[in-house]
Amino acid sequence: MVLMPTAAVARPWRSYLRISVRGLIVVVLVLGGGLGWVVNRARVQREAVAAIERAGGSVKYKWDYTVGTLISSEEPAWPNWLIKNVGPNYLAHIAEADLAPKQAR
């Protein structure tokens, strides 16, 4: 006759961190899909801004406004090095697009 231990054996904490290959594939697909969506939106916005500026118009981002009022001295909430390296289209949405040529204003 084999005697079974009566005390419960504690599981090591690392066993809770295990993930199956199927779970890892799902995580990678969800993260890749989300990042792809963000990059696509930024690319479309960047192309729209470039087209507006080529036509002589201008674009204002949401950080240029506070409670619906234009603030010319408002600094973006993001650091300047991040805006310079990544671009404003990943970090802000367009609040206003002026399509009138600059000399007609």
Side-chain angles (χ1 to χ4, degrees), residues 10-48:
R11 288 176 50 185
W13 64 271
R14 287 178 291 172
S15 67
Y16 293 106
L17 297 178
R18 290 186 183 165
I19 186 167
S20 68
V21 173
R22 186 181 305 157
L24 187 60
I25 290 172
V26 169
V27 168
V28 168
L29 285 173
V30 168
L31 287 175
L35 289 173
W37 180 70
V38 169
V39 168
N40 185 47
R41 285 188 60 198
R43 182 186 57 80
V44 168
Q45 182 172 314
R46 183 182 66 234
E47 290 172 357

Side-chain angles (χ1 to χ4, degrees), residues 20 27 29 33 48-49 52 57 59-60 71-72 81 89 96 102:
S20 68
V27 168
L29 285 173
V49 168
I52 290 169
V59 173
K60 298 207 181 326
I71 298 176
S72 61
W81 63 267
N89 297 309
E96 178 184 312
K102 291 179 182 174

Side-chain angles (χ1 to χ4, degrees), residues 42-61 63-64 83 87-89 93-103 105:
R43 182 186 57 80
V44 168
Q45 182 172 314
R46 183 182 66 234
E47 290 172 357
V49 168
I52 290 169
E53 289 176 347
R54 269 194 314 270
S58 65
V59 173
K60 298 207 181 326
Y61 292 95
W63 62 55
D64 295 327
I83 294 171
N89 297 309
H93 298 287
I94 295 174
E96 178 184 312
D98 188 5
L99 301 176
K102 291 179 182 174
Q103 56 269 36
R105 290 184 202 154

